[in-house]
Amino acid sequence: MRPMRPAALLLLAIVSVNAGAQAPAAVQTPEAAFGFRMGADRELADWPSLQRYFENVAAASDRVELVDAGQTTEGRRLIAAIVSSPDNIARLDQIRANSLRLADPRTLDDQAAAGIIEKQPAIVAIGMSIHATEIGGTQAAPELLHLLATSNEPEITRSLNATVVIIFPSLNPDGHAITVDWYRKWKGTEFEGANLPGLYHKYAGHDINRDAFMMNLAESRSIADFFYRRWHPQVFLTMHQMGPRGPRFFVPPNTDPIDRNYDPLIWRTAGLLGNAMALTLEQDGRAGVLQNALYDYYWPGYEDSAPLGHNTVTLLTEAASVRVASPITVPADQLTGGRGFPDHQPTTTFPNPWPGGSWKLRDIVDYDLSAARGLIGAAARYRDDLVRNFYRMAKRQVDLGMKGGPFAFIIPPDQFDAHAARKLEQLLIDGDVELRRTLEPFRVAETVYNEGADIILMAQPNRAYVKTLLEVQQYPARKSGSQADRPYDVTGWTLPLQMNVRVDRIDQYFEPPPATRIDRATIAPAKVWGDVRKPSFYVIDGRGNGASIAINRLLKNGAAVSFLTTAMPILGYTYQPGAIMVMDGKGVREIVDAIARDLGLRATASSGRAPTDARPLGRARVGLYRSAAENVDEGWTRWLLEQYEFEFETIADTDIKRGGLRPRFDAIILPDQEAERIMTGNLAGTMPPEYVGGIGADGADALKQFVAAGGTLVALDSASELANSLLGAAVSDATRGLPPDQYLCPGSIVRLDLETDPLTYGMPRETAGFCAFSNAFDIAARSDSTAASTVRMVARYAKSNVLASGWLDGERAIAGKGAVAEVTSGQGRAILFAFRPQHRAQSHATFRLLFNAIHTSK
Ligand SMILES: [Zn+2]
């Protein structure tokens, strides 16, 4: 657990020879190491030099050890400095092991726990930034490290005796590198401090901190492993930045609503530590600090909310931003309020308004350092409570789990979508949830389960995490004035619904059958049936998202692949429409074997004549549109297509404007983005000229030509408005112009009814989709008589009881309306999605709608 680079080891060796044991080599100040004071105007420390600084301090100081939390998406190291007193550093392995023991009270009695608690420092992790342009925390990190590594002030000595501080200089080193490169490139020009044209993470951009439970990204998996299996901190602070015109700084407590699954001690401790941070900030004379407003912790997918279900107290700070490293001026009359924070007048949660004026990166560094010092000091003073309550919360969760309601969740082995079921199980396992695979059949009330069903018994320390992810959300909507109080993020995420995985909630106690804990989710291999000696074709189960991988693998190999369009019984098993038919040929047998084995899709070999009720599938040439204006949905779409083995090309505004698209592409995908933004892109003057402008009128024309000439234009959520207008407004949006009291769906799971159609193959007739202020289609009663298009609704919102999880006001606005429309025009078509079928690469239940749009485009 102590990876140290050879260079660092060497340096340590030299130190001990030259300086002896009593005097550690001098730890360089950040100013000496970087050549400027951290946070100096227009200066940024880049990632290689930050990493080097952390390595050097670790090598020179007996208070610091450097560890790797894992890899980033682009292969950088997620480094963390472990800082504590030399005595604690000498027994880090024991401290770490004790933290893991306290995290699981099932293996301890109270007396043994008390023995540990007495000597156990509180583990406090600090992520100095995750959103890469919110760069102040990362720039402050060397000063925080230097202070803790060198200061002999009594307060610091006391703190290091009582805590282990884990400093992540950044939770997104890839994004830090992108941001620093961009800033330096334009420094000294009129575009100094301009927004990035793309994402500050290869796939997720700003959503890098919306992946904490789904764990699609390497960073999320690394951090989860580090937190839940290696260190299990009692406290985790993550530092962010917000807009420039609000308060100068935010510290906890956060605002309502809260997720009611977590122990109340979580919120009390967050309040205590938030107040300690605020106190230090005031002592240091930092004005404009706000508490108890703006940010809630309802959604569990942030880096700083997923650990709540693991009994870690998480804290968020937000500093007012500058233009990356360039100073700004905010006159008093331009200061604005926000959610639960009407204006800049003094209140109990905002006693010291900032008067306006100049605001610099160094200010952010100063505020961040005050907050971190306030937190570390308080964690030391309340060490005993933090460590004891960590154990106490875990114990309470286990006790609650024993009582039932729910007592367990059961994931049966026979799933519609084995691929999605595996992903759900794996993300639970990566989230340190205990899954047990049953070894024999068993019964709960009237239900008989086959052996191989996986049980999650709720008497486990991370019970709240399981409950939050698997149960249905009922968002505690409150009104403030006439306005409904909207959440900061989304209101519904129920994973069994979103992923179309059957998970049974069992409320009452039952006697669990023999079972073993599993540490890796797998798909049960399926068989290839029938006469495999000399087949003429194979039929493969086409259900679920794995079937799209199967299709892509077969097509890539040059095989002749079709969807069956009618049900087909072979050897006592009936394949449904949408099953995959592939003619035998070179290498096909091996691929079919691998599909059955790895994707769990049964197949049957047949030597008869191939059925003619089939729709041939081709190797579609796909263009994925990437706007010059930042679009997180593009990043997630790109990630998803890569994961499911689609071949595609990224296309920019210039590619579209140039026209001649049909000879190059069968399908063009427009990720969710406002029509206006697609058309105009970044505005002139805001960005260097090469990043200005959208597809424009020429591009719109080119897309129209593309459809007329037989292409498939796939438009997701708000991009559907652009596609629709190109095709003469074939559909109308029933939600257009409705006020919030008539339609409000701020990120919820809704029920969808599907037609039987190639676009819904591999899906059940009813499923769940993610709706966030999404559209609802009607067939337009058009006056535009020139439009020669026809519309088919392929998916609709349910006729009633639309809401499956979260919050939906005014379901009448969308009930029974179109959610996916296929509009044919000329020789081609557009597939309009009223919602995002691939939202954050989380909504597995609707991935196939997007995948089928591609499969059927050739
Ligand atoms: Zn942020």
Side-chain angles (χ1 to χ4, degrees):
M1 301 319 295
R2 297 184 176 195
M4 206 182 256
R5 284 155 58 107
L9 282 172
L10 188 64
L11 191 54
L12 258 189
I14 293 166
V15 164
S16 58
V17 170
N18 291 347
Q22 62 275 62
V27 174
Q28 230 184 349
T29 64
E31 192 161 352
F34 293 94
F36 53 86
R37 190 174 181 231
M38 307 316 297
D41 284 354
R42 308 167 70 229
E43 295 287 357
L44 290 174
D46 60 21
W47 187 250
S49 60
L50 281 164
Q51 187 170 309
R52 201 160 46 241
Y53 184 77
F54 269 61
E55 284 166 358
N56 290 342
V57 174
S61 168
D62 57 359
R63 301 181 189 176
V64 182
E65 186 165 309
L66 196 67
V67 297
D68 272 10
Q71 296 257 312
T72 68
T73 296
E74 297 189 65
R76 288 186 179 81
R77 295 164 60 203
L78 259 175
I79 55 166
I82 316 281
V83 194
S84 193
S85 68
D87 284 352
N88 286 336
I89 291 289
R91 63 174 187 109
L92 268 190
D93 285 344
Q94 183 195 35
I95 290 170
R96 204 174 60 74
N98 282 342
S99 188
L100 297 180
R101 288 187 74 193
L102 293 174
D104 189 350
R106 293 170 301 177
T107 63
L108 280 177
D109 60 32
D110 284 352
Q111 203 185 349
I116 293 174
I117 291 164
E118 200 187 337
K119 298 196 203 88
Q120 177 74 356
I123 300 177
V124 179
I126 307 179
M128 302 297 289
S129 76
I130 188 165
H131 291 143
T133 54
E134 301 168 8
I135 210 160
T138 296
Q139 300 302 304
E143 276 193 27
L144 179 60
L145 181 65
H146 182 263
L147 173 80
L148 297 178
T150 60
S151 170
N152 291 317
E153 290 169 48
E155 187 211 325
I156 299 292
T157 306
R158 259 200 314 274
S159 292
L160 293 182
N161 285 333
T163 65
V164 170
V165 181
I166 301 176
I167 305 172
F168 285 92
S170 170
L171 296 169
N172 179 14
D174 292 355
H176 185 79
I178 294 168
T179 301
V180 172
D181 285 352
W182 175 256
Y183 183 80
R184 286 180 175 171
K185 183 172 176 189
W186 299 102
K187 188 170 129 172
T189 73
E190 61 181 306
F191 301 111
E192 175 177 312
N195 289 340
L196 291 165
L199 304 173
Y200 50 60
H201 176 275
K202 183 177 179 189
Y203 299 109
H206 197 73
D207 269 0
I208 184 173
N209 82 327
R210 265 78 169 173
D211 186 53
F213 63 70
M214 192 53 75
M215 293 195 238
N216 286 329
L217 306 175
E219 288 84 350
S220 309
R221 292 190 295 272
S222 294
I223 294 165
D225 179 60
F226 186 87
F227 276 7
Y228 306 149
R229 294 177 192 273
R230 287 168 62 185
W231 285 92
H232 217 133
Q234 283 73 62
V235 179
F236 172 41
L237 162 65
T238 175
M239 296 189 138
H240 286 252
Q241 289 173 209
M242 56 192 161
R245 294 184 184 175
R248 292 304 91 191
F249 207 72
F250 168 84
V251 297
N254 292 33
T255 189
D256 289 319
I258 58 174
D259 182 326
R260 297 168 187 186
N261 287 318
Y262 310 135
D263 194 293
L265 283 168
I266 289 277
W267 311 113
R268 296 299 186 187
T269 314
L272 177 78
L273 298 176
N275 274 307
M277 290 193 273
L279 187 71
T280 303
L281 283 154
E282 294 298 347
Q283 285 166 185
D284 292 349
R286 318 249 182 256
V289 177
L290 174 71
Q291 297 177 274
N292 213 236
L294 307 180
Y295 306 98
D296 66 63
Y297 264 148
Y298 189 68
W299 190 63
Y302 306 116
E303 85 284 19
D304 53 328
S305 56
L308 293 169
H310 298 79
N311 308 312
T312 293
V313 177
T314 63
L315 306 162
L316 163 76
T317 62
E318 299 264 359
S321 291
V322 292
R323 287 171 62 81
V324 188
S326 303
I328 59 171
T329 300
V330 187
D333 62 3
Q334 286 182 17
L335 289 168
T336 53
R339 182 181 179 204
F341 172 61
D343 54 35
H344 287 244
Q345 295 305 309
T347 61
T348 51
T349 57
F350 186 70
N352 182 15
W354 181 68
S358 147
W359 186 246
K360 298 164 168 246
L361 182 61
R362 181 65 216 187
D363 293 317
I364 299 171
V365 168
D366 284 335
Y367 277 65
D368 282 349
L369 289 173
S370 291
R373 274 195 14 255
L375 170 63
I376 294 165
R381 278 192 288 284
Y382 287 95
R383 179 205 70 81
D384 184 79
D385 292 292
L386 294 178
V387 178
R388 192 177 305 282
N389 288 341
F390 179 66
Y391 170 74
R392 185 177 272 141
M393 286 190 278
K395 206 172 162 196
R396 284 183 187 170
Q397 290 296 324
V398 173
D399 290 347
L400 283 169
M402 297 288 284
K403 288 195 187 114
F407 176 73
F409 287 95
I410 299 177
I411 308 177
D414 318 306
Q415 294 283 344
F416 185 92
D417 186 340
H419 199 265
R422 176 179 61 180
K423 170 67 181 174
L424 176 59
E425 293 205 335
Q426 191 60 48
L427 73 87
L428 291 169
I429 291 169
D430 288 344
D432 201 30
V433 173
E434 271 183 32
L435 270 74
R436 293 182 177 277
R437 178 145 304 165
T438 55
L439 303 173
E440 49 192 57
F442 63 103
R443 173 190 288 269
V444 179
E446 299 309 305
T447 310
V448 175
Y449 292 94
N450 290 332
E451 99 180 51
D454 293 331
I455 298 189
I456 303 168
L457 292 172
M458 295 301 273
Q460 55 178 299
N462 302 329
R463 166 186 171 275
Y465 186 67
V466 182
K467 194 161 175 287
T468 284
L469 295 187
L470 299 183
E471 72 183 4
V472 169
Q473 279 77 49
Q474 285 162 323
Y475 184 78
R478 301 197 304 187
K479 305 248 169 171
S480 45
S482 62
Q483 281 281 311
D485 187 21
R486 295 183 193 179
Y488 191 75
D489 201 88
V490 309
T491 65
W493 51 85
T494 313
L495 295 185
L497 293 172
Q498 248 202 110
M499 300 177 78
N500 185 27
V501 178
R502 182 181 153 197
V503 180
D504 295 350
R505 176 184 163 128
I506 311 294
D507 274 300
Q508 305 298 325
Y509 174 85
F510 65 94
E511 183 65 38
T516 55
R517 185 165 180 182
I518 54 172
D519 57 11
R520 203 168 67 84
T522 51
I523 294 177
K527 267 182 73 173
V528 181
W529 301 85
D531 182 2
V532 294
R533 279 168 308 174
K534 231 178 166 354
S536 50
F537 66 95
Y538 296 87
V539 178
I540 305 167
D541 183 1
R543 294 178 307 160
N545 296 328
S548 280
I549 297 176
I551 291 168
N552 289 336
R553 287 185 186 167
L554 289 164
L555 288 171
K556 203 166 186 175
N557 192 58
V561 186
S562 309
F563 275 143
L564 284 185
T565 53
T566 53
M568 179 178 175
I570 330 181
L571 304 175
Y573 182 83
T574 301
Y575 287 92
Q576 296 302 313
I580 305 159
M581 182 174 73
V582 56
M583 304 308 293
D584 192 35
K586 190 161 174 287
V588 167
R589 171 73 206 272
E590 286 72 23
I591 302 172
V592 172
D593 278 347
I595 287 168
R597 186 185 61 233
D598 303 338
L599 300 171
L601 298 170
R602 70 171 286 149
T604 306
S606 176
S607 52
R609 265 195 33 210
T612 52
D613 291 350
R615 186 199 187 291
L617 301 172
R619 199 167 164 183
R621 299 160 305 160
V622 179
L624 175 62
Y625 170 63
R626 173 151 67 193
S627 165
E630 178 198 1
N631 184 6
V632 166
D633 200 56
E634 179 276 329
W636 283 124
T637 310
R638 181 160 35 87
W639 183 88
L640 192 69
L641 296 185
E642 285 179 14
Q643 297 298 311
Y644 287 82
E645 303 180 20
F646 285 89
E647 299 172 280
F648 65 96
E649 205 180 304
T650 289
I651 52 175
D653 295 308
T654 46
D655 297 307
I656 293 187
K657 275 194 261 194
R658 205 179 297 132
L661 296 167
R662 183 64 190 109
R664 291 176 61 201
F665 299 109
D666 302 302
I668 290 176
I669 301 171
L670 303 178
D672 173 41
Q673 197 172 21
E674 296 291 333
E676 165 129 13
R677 196 87 169 136
I678 297 174
M679 290 297 287
T680 57
N682 293 313
L683 299 180
T686 64
M687 284 263 176
E690 59 264 47
Y691 303 104
V692 163
I695 65 168
D698 290 350
D701 245 17
L703 289 175
K704 222 162 142 175
Q705 299 299 328
F706 171 72
V707 173
T712 294
L713 182 63
V714 182
L716 307 183
D717 207 328
S718 42
S720 67
E721 285 165 33
L722 177 73
N724 187 38
S725 72
L726 294 179
L727 302 180
V731 302
S732 60
D733 172 18
T735 71
R736 179 174 285 271
L738 289 183
D741 61 341
Q742 287 177 45
Y743 172 60
L744 185 68
C745 187
S748 306
I749 312 293
V750 296
R751 294 192 173 84
L752 301 173
D753 293 333
L754 308 182
E755 299 294 323
T756 301
D757 184 276
L759 287 171
T760 66
Y761 278 165
M763 303 177 71
R765 293 311 87 199
E766 291 173 13
T767 193
F770 180 81
C771 172
F773 303 100
S774 298
N775 299 339
F777 299 140
D778 278 323
I779 296 177
R782 282 174 301 176
S783 55
D784 176 3
S785 56
T786 59
S789 54
T790 58
V791 180
R792 242 161 25 86
M793 294 302 173
V794 176
R796 292 175 184 274
Y797 297 103
K799 290 193 182 70
S800 60
N801 294 317
V802 181
L803 181 66
S805 184
W807 179 20
L808 170 62
D809 268 356
E811 78 161 34
R812 264 192 320 167
I814 62 171
K817 308 278 187 196
V820 182
E822 184 184 59
V823 182
T824 55
S825 175
Q827 297 172 51
R829 61 180 181 156
I831 299 169
L832 309 181
F833 285 84
F835 65 105
R836 275 170 279 173
Q838 60 1 327
H839 174 247
R840 291 176 182 161
Q842 297 184 357
S843 51
H844 289 244
T846 49
F847 288 171
R848 273 302 291 269
L849 290 166
L850 173 62
F851 296 165
N852 288 338
I854 298 171
H855 290 319
T856 59
S857 68
K858 179 111 184 170

